[in-house]
Amino acid sequence: MRRKLVVGNWKMHGNRASNAELLAGILGARPFACDVGVCVPFVYVADTAVSLATSEIRWGAQDVSAQEQGAFTGEVSAAMLRELGCRYAIVGHSERRAHHAEGDQLVADKAKAALGHGLTPIVCVGETLEQREAGQTEVVVKRQLSAVIHALGHCAGEMVVAYEPVWAIGTGRTATPEQAQAVHAVLRAQLRAATSQADTMKILYGGSVKPDNAARLFAQADIDGGLIGGAALKASDFVTICRAAG
Ligand code: PGA
């Protein structure tokens, strides 16, 4: 059986004081029966590394540059994140695809850059409401994942995939466990065709995961944990979700 993984995506929230309180709340609730991580704003990676250094809680960033180094003002490289002990880099979050015009190829390049420096890319895929209603869900998520599979080649088995239907993010409108499982099964099948590691790979669900719906989502055969936004900002809620994965 795959060990579950729950990752908090703090987005652009927090400050040093609130972060310290949140991390203390998570640390105080250990041990967890699942793997746990937090993906924090770049500027807080160093503080987070210090807070979590002696624990098994992992940390990461919410984005990473596709470039190695050089004249790329404002970018943060995978090597920099790795130097600060990051384990994860989220790539292709729908907010970056939508607000920063990130396309499938750029997302794939970012995933490759992350993996090249020992970071596990958490590759987000997901359809908009219009795409779902037009019956395009499968086509969209497969196209998004396919670009990354192609870029990673024989290392594709090392990524974490996160299915995040855009219409469920931050809306309080969660995919039903059955809706999520159906897409996860499609993604698993696509991974099986690409890598022999597909059955040990983690496919997370994200989109309005809350303490009261987490257990039913995580009980699905191909849902291996969650990428948690809003509910990751409150220690008690995040901890409850982690327990639901255990
Ligand atoms: P949400 O965000 O849990 O607030 O819906 C999830 C995400 O965007 O990763």
Side-chain angles (χ1 to χ4, degrees), residues 155-193:
C155 297
E158 290 172 40
M159 73 176 133
V160 168
V161 177
Y163 169 55
E164 297 207 317
V166 178
W167 47 272
I169 296 176
T171 58
R173 186 175 163 189
T174 322
T176 65
E178 295 73 25
Q179 281 175 321
Q181 166 58 28
V183 179
H184 281 235
V186 165
L187 296 171
R188 182 87 60 199
Q190 188 179 3
L191 292 169
R192 275 196 196 112

Side-chain angles (χ1 to χ4, degrees), residues 9 11 93 95 164 168-170 207-209 227-230:
N9 171 14
K11 309 194 180 186
H93 191 281
E95 287 151 17
E164 297 207 317
I169 296 176
S208 296
V209 178
L227 184 57
I228 319 298

Side-chain angles (χ1 to χ4, degrees), residues 44-245:
Y44 297 129
V45 169
D47 281 355
T48 303
V50 171
S51 298
L52 300 181
T54 58
S55 81
E56 69 289 350
I57 310 290
R58 303 156 178 188
W59 60 93
Q62 301 165 14
D63 185 27
V64 64
S65 178
Q67 307 293 336
E68 270 300 304
Q69 62 167 348
F72 300 102
T73 303
E75 293 276 276
V76 175
S77 75
M80 293 171 187
L81 295 175
R82 192 60 202 152
E83 190 181 16
L84 291 183
C86 284
R87 168 80 177 249
Y88 299 113
I90 296 173
V91 298
H93 191 281
S94 62
E95 287 151 17
R96 294 210 62 85
R97 291 183 192 259
H99 307 315
H100 301 269
E102 294 196 5
D104 293 338
Q105 190 55 52
L106 179 60
V107 172
D109 291 343
K110 288 182 171 196
K112 192 171 180 189
L115 214 49
H117 288 276
L119 301 170
T120 299
I122 299 178
V123 178
C124 299
V125 300
E127 80 288 2
T128 63
L129 187 58
E130 297 70 49
Q131 290 166 332
R132 172 162 284 261
E133 286 174 347
Q136 295 170 346
T137 299
E138 267 195 39
V139 172
V140 170
V141 298
K142 281 169 124 175
R143 189 202 71 221
Q144 291 172 335
L145 185 58
S146 159
V148 182
I149 288 173
H150 186 75
L152 299 188
H154 67 276
C155 297
E158 290 172 40
M159 73 176 133
V160 168
V161 177
Y163 169 55
E164 297 207 317
V166 178
W167 47 272
I169 296 176
T171 58
R173 186 175 163 189
T174 322
T176 65
E178 295 73 25
Q179 281 175 321
Q181 166 58 28
V183 179
H184 281 235
V186 165
L187 296 171
R188 182 87 60 199
Q190 188 179 3
L191 292 169
R192 275 196 196 112
T195 165
S196 59
Q197 290 163 270
D199 287 308
T200 57
M201 290 176 69
K202 295 190 206 306
I203 308 178
L204 311 182
Y205 170 78
S208 296
V209 178
K210 305 290 176 201
D212 62 357
N213 62 24
R216 286 181 59 230
L217 286 160
F218 298 164
Q220 300 297 310
D222 289 293
I223 300 184
D224 306 314
L227 184 57
I228 319 298
L233 299 174
K234 198 171 151 202
S236 58
D237 283 355
F238 187 64
V239 164
T240 302
I241 292 168
C242 293
R243 297 256 185 268

